[in-house]
Amino acid sequence: MIRICTEFALSGLLPSVLKEHFKSICDKEARTLTLLLTYTHTSHFTPFISACCIDKLTSFESRPDAGHLSAAQHQKAESHTSIHATIKLIASTTIAIVNMTVFTLIIINKAGGLIYNRTFQEGGLNKLSTNDYLVLAGTFHGVHAITTRLNPLKQSLSSPPSRSSIPPSSTTTGATSSTVPSRPEPPSGLEVLESENFRMQCFQTMTGTKFLLFTDTTQANVDLTIRRIYDLYCDYVMKNPFYQLEMPVRCDMFDRKLLSYVREINNR
Amino acid sequence: MSSNRAARLGEEIWKTRIDKVSAELVTLTYGTIVAQLCKDFDNDYIEVNKQLDRMGYNIGLRLIEDFLAKSNTMKRCSNFRETAEMIAKVGFKIFLNITPMVTNWTNDNKQFSLVFEENPLADFVELPDDGRAQDELWFSNIFCGVLRGALEMVQMQVEAHFISDILRGNDTTEMRVSLIRYIDDELPPEDD
C-alpha cells in the first residue's frame, strides 16, 4: 500500500511539498493512511486519493499483515472499519462534488441584461433568486466595462500613431497599405474570477454578448467548453427565426443541447 | 490578416465545419422570394430592393455570430482592408462557396468593390421583360443588407449597394461597400 500511495504522491498529482512529506513518512503505514485522510479533506486531488484509498485499503485488508495497521489505529481509539467507512463516505461525496463540474451558465446581452441563466449541478452552488442573477449580470457588465478601461499603457501607446496616420492618408493620392487607418485591438476586460468554491470565466464575443461559466476551480479546458456553448448558441438561438435579438432566450432546443453537452462534461 | 491567410482560413472552414446543401435549393428558394416580392409590391422594384435589403439586414444581424463562431475569430480586423478580405475570402466562401474579388479601393481606404464572378443566387435567372426591371431591380440586393447587418454587429456602420449586375446586361456584377464610421460606444476620454 505504501508503495502505491507513494507512487501516487510522486506521479505529479500532489504538490511538491506534499511529495516531500510523503517520502519522509512512508515507512510508517498507519500514519500514511491517516495522512491520506487529512489530505482527502483539504486537497484538490481528492478524487484520486480517495479512490486510491478505497482500492488499496480493500486489498490491504486481505493481506496477512493487516493487523499492523489496525493496531496502530486502535492506539488512536479508531477502529479499522470506521476508517474504512469514513474513507468510503468521503470518497463518494467528494467525487460527486469535485469531479470536474460545470455549475452554471449565464448569458449577458450587450446592454448588460441577463438573457439566459441555467444551473446544471444541483448542490454545486447555492441557488440565487432571479433578481439576484439580474443584479449579478448588470453588475458584472459594469465592472467588465470599467476593467476594459484599466489599460492606460496600451491605449496611450497605440492611439496616437493611429490618429496621426489618418490625416496623411486622406491627402496622399497613392493608396498604399501603409496609410490604411488602423483600428487598434480593444483592451479586454475582466476574464476570470475565482473564489474558494468556484471559478467564473467570461467570454465576450465580438458582438458584445458575454458568456459567463461558473465551474469547479479545477475544471480544465473551460475555453473550449465556452466556445462550444457559443456554437450551440449560434445554431439554436441565433438561427431560430422566432428568437428576438437581445431578448431573453427561451429556446427548448438550445436548452436540451446545452444540457446534454454539459452532462457529458460533468459525467466525464 | 493577409489576403492569403484569409483565403486559406476560408477554404479550411468550408471543408471541415460547414454543412452543405444543394445550391439549387438556395437558388430556387431565393428566386421564389424575389418573384413573390415583385408580385406583392405590384412590380414596384424600388420597394422590392428595399425589402430585400431589409431581409438581408435581419439575416446579417444573426449570421455574424455564426461567422465569428465558425471562423473562430478572436481578434477584430485592424483596418477596413482586412475587413474586406475577411468578407470576401472567409464570409462569402463559407456561406456560399464563392470568393468575390475585392477591388477599386478609394484613396482613403474606406470604399471598395466586390466583383462577383459567380453568383449562386442568380443562376437560371432572367429579369422580367417589362422595360423597368432591367433598370430598377437589383436581384441580389439581399447581399447588401447582409453585409450592413453583420458589420453593424461588429461596430462598423457601412453602406452597400450594387452598381452593376450581369442580369441587367452589364459586364460584371459589382457591389460598392463604404465604411461610414466605426461605432465605438465607449465614452470619449474626459478632458480635465
Side-chain angles (χ1 to χ4, degrees), chain A residues 2 5-27 32 35-36 39 43 45 49:
Chain A
I2 293 164
C5 283
T6 317
E7 271 173 16
F8 248 90
L10 297 178
S11 67
L13 292 168
L14 292 173
S16 52
V17 186
L18 297 190
K19 279 186 201 169
E20 291 305 312
H21 209 36
F22 258 90
K23 272 188 200 162
S24 68
I25 52 114
C26 66
D27 54 335
T32 310
L35 203 80
L36 276 176
Y39 288 143
S43 82
F45 309 95
I49 298 178

Short mmCIF file of all heavy atoms in Angstrom, two decimals, chain A residues 2 5-27 32 35-36 39 43 45 49:
data_model
loop_
_atom_site.label_atom_id
_atom_site.label_comp_id
_atom_site.label_asym_id
_atom_site.label_seq_id
_atom_site.Cartn_x
_atom_site.Cartn_y
_atom_site.Cartn_z
N ILE A 2 1.87 1.22 0.81
CA ILE A 2 2.73 2.40 0.89
C ILE A 2 3.35 2.70 -0.46
O ILE A 2 3.39 3.83 -0.91
CB ILE A 2 3.86 2.19 1.93
CG1 ILE A 2 3.25 2.12 3.31
CG2 ILE A 2 4.86 3.32 1.86
CD1 ILE A 2 4.18 1.55 4.32
N CYS A 5 0.75 4.26 -2.72
CA CYS A 5 0.43 5.62 -2.28
C CYS A 5 1.57 6.55 -2.66
O CYS A 5 1.35 7.67 -3.12
CB CYS A 5 0.21 5.68 -0.78
SG CYS A 5 -1.39 5.04 -0.30
N THR A 6 2.76 6.08 -2.46
CA THR A 6 3.92 6.91 -2.76
C THR A 6 4.00 7.18 -4.25
O THR A 6 4.27 8.29 -4.68
CB THR A 6 5.22 6.23 -2.29
OG1 THR A 6 4.98 5.68 -1.01
CG2 THR A 6 6.35 7.20 -2.25
N GLU A 7 3.72 6.15 -5.01
CA GLU A 7 3.71 6.35 -6.45
C GLU A 7 2.74 7.45 -6.83
O GLU A 7 3.02 8.33 -7.62
CB GLU A 7 3.28 5.06 -7.16
CG GLU A 7 4.45 4.14 -7.47
CD GLU A 7 3.98 2.83 -8.01
OE1 GLU A 7 2.80 2.74 -8.42
OE2 GLU A 7 4.79 1.90 -8.01
N PHE A 8 1.60 7.37 -6.23
CA PHE A 8 0.60 8.40 -6.48
C PHE A 8 1.14 9.77 -6.13
O PHE A 8 1.02 10.72 -6.86
CB PHE A 8 -0.65 8.13 -5.62
CG PHE A 8 -1.81 7.75 -6.46
CD1 PHE A 8 -2.05 6.43 -6.78
CD2 PHE A 8 -2.66 8.73 -6.95
CE1 PHE A 8 -3.12 6.08 -7.56
CE2 PHE A 8 -3.73 8.38 -7.74
CZ PHE A 8 -3.97 7.06 -8.05
N ALA A 9 1.77 9.78 -4.97
CA ALA A 9 2.29 11.06 -4.49
C ALA A 9 3.35 11.59 -5.42
O ALA A 9 3.46 12.79 -5.64
CB ALA A 9 2.86 10.87 -3.09
N LEU A 10 4.13 10.69 -6.00
CA LEU A 10 5.24 11.15 -6.83
C LEU A 10 4.86 11.34 -8.29
O LEU A 10 5.62 11.86 -9.07
CB LEU A 10 6.39 10.14 -6.74
CG LEU A 10 6.98 9.99 -5.33
CD1 LEU A 10 8.08 8.93 -5.34
CD2 LEU A 10 7.51 11.30 -4.82
N SER A 11 3.68 10.90 -8.64
CA SER A 11 3.33 10.94 -10.06
C SER A 11 2.90 12.33 -10.51
O SER A 11 2.45 12.51 -11.62
CB SER A 11 2.21 9.94 -10.34
OG SER A 11 1.04 10.38 -9.69
N GLY A 12 3.02 13.29 -9.65
CA GLY A 12 2.71 14.65 -10.08
C GLY A 12 1.31 15.08 -9.73
O GLY A 12 0.91 16.20 -10.04
N LEU A 13 0.56 14.22 -9.09
CA LEU A 13 -0.79 14.61 -8.73
C LEU A 13 -0.81 15.46 -7.47
O LEU A 13 -1.77 16.16 -7.20
CB LEU A 13 -1.65 13.36 -8.52
CG LEU A 13 -1.93 12.56 -9.80
CD1 LEU A 13 -2.53 11.23 -9.47
CD2 LEU A 13 -2.82 13.36 -10.72
N LEU A 14 0.25 15.38 -6.70
CA LEU A 14 0.30 16.14 -5.48
C LEU A 14 1.35 17.24 -5.58
O LEU A 14 2.34 17.10 -6.29
CB LEU A 14 0.68 15.23 -4.31
CG LEU A 14 -0.37 14.19 -3.92
CD1 LEU A 14 0.19 13.24 -2.88
CD2 LEU A 14 -1.62 14.86 -3.40
N PRO A 15 1.12 18.33 -4.89
CA PRO A 15 2.13 19.41 -4.88
C PRO A 15 3.45 18.89 -4.32
O PRO A 15 3.47 17.94 -3.55
CB PRO A 15 1.52 20.44 -3.94
CG PRO A 15 0.08 20.12 -3.85
CD PRO A 15 -0.06 18.67 -4.11
N SER A 16 4.51 19.54 -4.69
CA SER A 16 5.84 19.02 -4.35
C SER A 16 6.06 18.98 -2.83
O SER A 16 6.76 18.09 -2.33
CB SER A 16 6.91 19.86 -5.02
OG SER A 16 6.71 21.21 -4.73
N VAL A 17 5.47 19.91 -2.12
CA VAL A 17 5.64 19.92 -0.67
C VAL A 17 5.12 18.62 -0.08
O VAL A 17 5.76 17.97 0.76
CB VAL A 17 4.84 21.09 -0.05
CG1 VAL A 17 5.13 21.19 1.43
CG2 VAL A 17 5.17 22.38 -0.76
N LEU A 18 3.94 18.24 -0.58
CA LEU A 18 3.36 17.00 -0.08
C LEU A 18 4.19 15.80 -0.46
O LEU A 18 4.30 14.83 0.29
CB LEU A 18 1.93 16.85 -0.61
CG LEU A 18 0.95 17.92 -0.17
CD1 LEU A 18 -0.46 17.53 -0.55
CD2 LEU A 18 1.03 18.14 1.34
N LYS A 19 4.78 15.87 -1.63
CA LYS A 19 5.63 14.77 -2.07
C LYS A 19 6.73 14.51 -1.05
O LYS A 19 6.97 13.39 -0.63
CB LYS A 19 6.28 15.10 -3.42
CG LYS A 19 5.40 14.86 -4.61
CD LYS A 19 6.24 15.09 -5.85
CE LYS A 19 5.36 15.38 -7.05
NZ LYS A 19 6.12 15.85 -8.18
N GLU A 20 7.39 15.61 -0.65
CA GLU A 20 8.47 15.50 0.33
C GLU A 20 7.94 14.87 1.61
O GLU A 20 8.54 13.96 2.18
CB GLU A 20 9.05 16.89 0.63
CG GLU A 20 9.81 17.49 -0.54
CD GLU A 20 10.91 16.55 -1.03
OE1 GLU A 20 11.66 16.04 -0.19
OE2 GLU A 20 10.98 16.31 -2.26
N HIS A 21 6.82 15.37 2.01
CA HIS A 21 6.19 14.90 3.23
C HIS A 21 5.96 13.40 3.14
O HIS A 21 6.26 12.65 4.07
CB HIS A 21 4.87 15.64 3.40
CG HIS A 21 4.47 15.79 4.84
ND1 HIS A 21 5.39 16.00 5.84
CD2 HIS A 21 3.26 15.76 5.42
CE1 HIS A 21 4.76 16.09 6.99
NE2 HIS A 21 3.45 15.96 6.75
N PHE A 22 5.43 12.99 2.00
CA PHE A 22 5.15 11.59 1.80
C PHE A 22 6.40 10.75 1.89
O PHE A 22 6.43 9.70 2.53
CB PHE A 22 4.50 11.39 0.42
CG PHE A 22 3.03 11.20 0.50
CD1 PHE A 22 2.19 12.31 0.44
CD2 PHE A 22 2.49 9.95 0.65
CE1 PHE A 22 0.84 12.14 0.52
CE2 PHE A 22 1.12 9.79 0.73
CZ PHE A 22 0.29 10.88 0.66
N LYS A 23 7.45 11.21 1.24
CA LYS A 23 8.70 10.46 1.25
C LYS A 23 9.16 10.21 2.67
O LYS A 23 9.57 9.11 3.02
CB LYS A 23 9.79 11.24 0.51
CG LYS A 23 9.84 10.99 -0.97
CD LYS A 23 11.07 11.68 -1.53
CE LYS A 23 10.94 11.90 -3.02
NZ LYS A 23 11.89 12.92 -3.48
N SER A 24 9.09 11.26 3.47
CA SER A 24 9.66 11.18 4.81
C SER A 24 8.86 10.26 5.72
O SER A 24 9.40 9.73 6.69
CB SER A 24 9.75 12.58 5.42
OG SER A 24 8.45 13.06 5.66
N ILE A 25 7.59 10.07 5.43
CA ILE A 25 6.82 9.26 6.37
C ILE A 25 6.39 7.91 5.82
O ILE A 25 5.65 7.19 6.45
CB ILE A 25 5.58 10.03 6.85
CG1 ILE A 25 4.79 10.55 5.64
CG2 ILE A 25 5.94 11.16 7.78
CD1 ILE A 25 3.48 9.93 5.51
N CYS A 26 6.87 7.61 4.64
CA CYS A 26 6.30 6.43 4.01
C CYS A 26 6.74 5.12 4.67
O CYS A 26 6.30 4.05 4.28
CB CYS A 26 6.61 6.39 2.52
SG CYS A 26 8.36 6.19 2.22
N ASP A 27 7.57 5.19 5.69
CA ASP A 27 7.92 3.95 6.37
C ASP A 27 6.94 3.63 7.50
O ASP A 27 7.09 2.66 8.21
CB ASP A 27 9.36 4.03 6.89
CG ASP A 27 9.57 5.26 7.74
OD1 ASP A 27 8.81 6.24 7.54
OD2 ASP A 27 10.46 5.24 8.59
N THR A 32 0.58 6.93 7.19
CA THR A 32 0.29 7.26 5.80
C THR A 32 -1.21 7.33 5.57
O THR A 32 -1.71 8.27 4.95
CB THR A 32 0.88 6.19 4.87
OG1 THR A 32 2.22 5.97 5.23
CG2 THR A 32 0.77 6.62 3.43
N LEU A 35 -2.71 10.31 7.19
CA LEU A 35 -2.33 11.47 6.41
C LEU A 35 -3.21 11.61 5.18
O LEU A 35 -3.74 12.68 4.87
CB LEU A 35 -0.88 11.30 5.98
CG LEU A 35 -0.17 12.60 5.66
CD1 LEU A 35 0.26 13.25 6.96
CD2 LEU A 35 0.97 12.35 4.74
N LEU A 36 -3.40 10.48 4.54
CA LEU A 36 -4.26 10.49 3.35
C LEU A 36 -5.63 11.02 3.70
O LEU A 36 -6.21 11.81 2.97
CB LEU A 36 -4.37 9.09 2.77
CG LEU A 36 -3.24 8.69 1.84
CD1 LEU A 36 -3.40 7.26 1.40
CD2 LEU A 36 -3.23 9.61 0.63
N TYR A 39 -5.54 14.69 3.93
CA TYR A 39 -5.48 15.33 2.62
C TYR A 39 -6.81 15.22 1.89
O TYR A 39 -7.18 16.07 1.10
CB TYR A 39 -4.37 14.73 1.77
CG TYR A 39 -3.00 15.12 2.26
CD1 TYR A 39 -1.95 14.24 2.23
CD2 TYR A 39 -2.80 16.39 2.77
CE1 TYR A 39 -0.70 14.60 2.69
CE2 TYR A 39 -1.55 16.77 3.24
CZ TYR A 39 -0.51 15.87 3.20
OH TYR A 39 0.71 16.24 3.66
N SER A 43 -7.29 18.68 -0.04
CA SER A 43 -6.62 18.96 -1.32
C SER A 43 -7.57 18.88 -2.50
O SER A 43 -8.68 18.37 -2.42
CB SER A 43 -5.48 17.97 -1.54
OG SER A 43 -6.03 16.79 -2.04
N PHE A 45 -6.98 17.10 -4.92
CA PHE A 45 -6.73 15.82 -5.59
C PHE A 45 -7.57 14.73 -4.98
O PHE A 45 -7.32 13.56 -5.17
CB PHE A 45 -5.24 15.49 -5.53
CG PHE A 45 -4.42 16.63 -6.00
CD1 PHE A 45 -3.90 17.55 -5.12
CD2 PHE A 45 -4.24 16.83 -7.37
CE1 PHE A 45 -3.18 18.63 -5.57
CE2 PHE A 45 -3.52 17.91 -7.82
CZ PHE A 45 -2.99 18.82 -6.91
N ILE A 49 -7.07 10.50 -4.69
CA ILE A 49 -6.58 9.90 -3.46
C ILE A 49 -7.64 9.02 -2.83
O ILE A 49 -7.35 7.88 -2.44
CB ILE A 49 -6.17 11.00 -2.46
CG1 ILE A 49 -5.03 11.80 -3.06
CG2 ILE A 49 -5.74 10.38 -1.15
CD1 ILE A 49 -4.57 12.91 -2.19
#
